[in-house]
Amino acid sequence: MFTNYSHLLLDNPVQRHHGIAVTDVDGDGAFEIVIAGFDRPNLVLKWNGETFVDIADSVLADVNRSSLGVVAADVNGDGREELYVFNAPSPSGHKGHHRLWCCQNNKWVDLFSRPEHQDALNSTVGQAAVCLDRVGDGRYGIVVANATGPMRLYEMNEMGLLADVAPDVGLALATTVRGLVSLPLVSDRMDIFATSDRGTNLLFCNRGNGTYRETAESAGLSDAYTHGCGIAVLDADGDGKFDIVYGNWEGAHRLFLQGATGHFRDVAPQEMARPSRVRAIVAADFDNDGIEEIFFNNQGEPNRLFGLRDGAWRQLDIGDAWEPDGLGTGAAIGDFDGDGRLELVVAHGETGAQPLTLYRPRRTDAGWLRVLPLTRYGAPARGAICRLTVAGERQVRSIDAGSGYLCQMEPVAHFGLGSHQRVDRLEVCWPDGAKVAIDSPMANQLIRVPYPGSVLGKFER
């Protein structure tokens, strides 16, 4: 499936890398790769048409901080995504307080460093984070699970001040969460699913008003006494509902299909369930055949790739991305060169320093369509749902708000079309329920879809 293109990473030091997020850092409309460095500089890798180069300034590089993960979202409603970086205490002696980078007048500033936000400062060790538009207004909060203490939800109020509102909305649970995803999973608004380390998983169902109730046990997702890490969501059985795949560290991995009543059942075949030292999991259509594959990033043992073949999930030939000696900590995807194929970036370094690796799937003649929904402010609409119909077959994607363990994918719905060159219909649904339908879009293009009625105008092909 994959060929190694790591030689395109011009700035690729041998160091401990952790989480990855894909966002537009420099504001030019293209997406960069932000990589958390542990007691080493963070990287911001940009495709310049020939190679990936590091464009991180001294602020974002944040030298000698021990960054673990990163999440991007438009917190203040200015149309540009902020960067939440969660940290641990550094071996070099720096404190582990988290960062919330905001670009103001073309300069990145840490909002947590300001005096008015000292009461909200998070100095605990972060374990997972995801962005959340809980009421559908286009402004995101950041949900953070910490190694100690309750979960937090940072939002910016009308006065421009950051506050932890988790206690007010039902999210302030003391947990051992290691993975988080957020999307309209079991309700019409953004829900939250979390894997736990040595505890039970959590499913926070949005009541419709931006408050939450925990329902994992009744949904069949509690999976007690396991060590959950990476998570991905996909429609694994083609019924139009989102299903959940996640890894348990050195335990049985799960593939939970969602039934008609919102109850889930584990159908992971033996080879997929086989325990491994798993970290990140990615679901994406790498070969553009219209069916998503599932990538398991492992630590110190080979990675795995699964695909749906003849009605069953089977392990596939992963090619160069096998990485039997890789110390995997995170993985993310994006089409950075615009050729309609998803690149896969893998970070390493939890237990030792290694460079990043970059993979491309083999080239095919299969068609594709990429969809970028925007908020009313013009930022990526993370948590939006895109549904596509081609030749009577349906596909569904969620714009990634955070992917389980330390990472966040590009904010684009990537659809493989196989041999088809025209789509019957595309529908985009935002976290507040607003919808736009586009009939017969042509294949092999990126479509930007503004929020309906926004000043951004009609969708752009």
Side-chain angles (χ1 to χ4, degrees), residues 32-47:
E32 287 77 48
I33 310 166
V34 183
I35 301 165
F38 191 86
D39 204 33
R40 291 293 185 271
N42 301 323
L43 305 175
V44 178
L45 300 184
K46 182 178 184 63
W47 176 251

Side-chain angles (χ1 to χ4, degrees), residues 331-403:
I333 55 169
D335 178 15
F336 302 102
D337 60 2
D339 68 350
R341 290 183 297 164
L342 291 171
E343 285 86 43
L344 172 67
V345 184
V346 181
H348 315 87
E350 183 172 329
T351 58
Q354 289 183 336
L356 305 163
T357 48
L358 172 71
Y359 300 99
R360 285 175 172 168
R362 64 179 181 271
R363 187 179 296 276
T364 71
D365 294 329
W368 48 274
L369 184 71
R370 291 168 53 76
V371 185
L372 172 55
L374 303 174
T375 68
R376 66 195 69 191
Y377 304 109
R382 297 188 184 268
I385 303 299
C386 299
R387 299 182 184 274
L388 176 146
T389 305
V390 55
E393 298 291 330
R394 295 182 178 180
Q395 299 184 43
V396 60
R397 304 283 188 270
S398 175
I399 304 301
D400 193 61
S403 297

Side-chain angles (χ1 to χ4, degrees), residues 174-447:
T175 71
T176 55
V177 164
R178 297 300 295 270
L180 287 166
V181 290
S182 180
L183 72 156
L185 181 64
V186 294
S187 78
D188 294 330
R189 298 293 184 264
M190 290 187 76
D191 308 307
I192 303 167
F193 175 70
T195 57
S196 291
D197 186 12
R198 301 182 304 277
T200 59
N201 296 333
L202 303 170
L203 175 60
F204 295 99
C205 178
N206 195 319
R207 290 187 171 98
N209 61 358
T211 65
Y212 289 85
R213 58 189 178 94
E214 204 286 304
T215 62
E217 184 173 0
S218 62
L221 290 170
S222 55
D223 203 14
Y225 309 116
T226 53
H227 301 271
C229 287
I231 319 167
V233 295
L234 74 162
D235 180 7
D237 57 358
D239 67 352
K241 297 183 179 66
F242 284 108
D243 308 307
I244 301 172
V245 56
Y246 65 88
N248 285 311
W249 176 265
E250 296 186 329
H253 308 320
R254 311 296 191 192
L255 175 58
F256 276 103
L257 299 185
Q258 182 174 184
T261 61
H263 191 272
F264 293 78
R265 60 187 179 93
D266 180 24
V267 300
Q270 182 176 359
E271 187 58 29
M272 184 184 291
R274 180 168 57 87
S276 66
R277 300 170 67 87
V278 68
R279 278 309 187 217
I281 293 180
V282 177
D285 188 355
F286 291 107
D287 57 6
N288 285 341
D289 66 349
I291 303 173
E292 291 182 283
E293 289 76 45
I294 302 173
F295 172 76
F296 282 73
N297 176 217
N298 292 317
Q299 187 177 114
E301 59 183 276
N303 299 324
R304 303 182 201 167
L305 184 70
F306 295 88
L308 190 61
R309 301 292 185 267
D310 300 322
W313 285 94
R314 306 180 190 279
Q315 188 162 351
L316 307 178
D317 181 0
I318 199 171
D320 292 345
W322 188 50
E323 290 194 356
D325 301 316
L327 304 176
T329 55
I333 55 169
D335 178 15
F336 302 102
D337 60 2
D339 68 350
R341 290 183 297 164
L342 291 171
E343 285 86 43
L344 172 67
V345 184
V346 181
H348 315 87
E350 183 172 329
T351 58
Q354 289 183 336
L356 305 163
T357 48
L358 172 71
Y359 300 99
R360 285 175 172 168
R362 64 179 181 271
R363 187 179 296 276
T364 71
D365 294 329
W368 48 274
L369 184 71
R370 291 168 53 76
V371 185
L372 172 55
L374 303 174
T375 68
R376 66 195 69 191
Y377 304 109
R382 297 188 184 268
I385 303 299
C386 299
R387 299 182 184 274
L388 176 146
T389 305
V390 55
E393 298 291 330
R394 295 182 178 180
Q395 299 184 43
V396 60
R397 304 283 188 270
S398 175
I399 304 301
D400 193 61
S403 297
Y405 186 73
L406 305 181
C407 296
Q408 188 183 52
M409 308 297 113
E410 63 170 358
V412 178
H414 181 94
F415 295 97
L417 304 180
S419 61
H420 303 288
Q421 294 300 312
R422 182 177 290 276
V423 173
D424 300 332
R425 186 177 176 87
L426 169 68
E427 183 179 88
V428 179
C429 183
W430 280 261
D432 66 344
K435 294 182 180 181
V436 163
I438 303 170
D439 291 324
S440 302
M442 294 297 294
N444 302 338
Q445 64 168 323
L446 169 68
I447 301 178

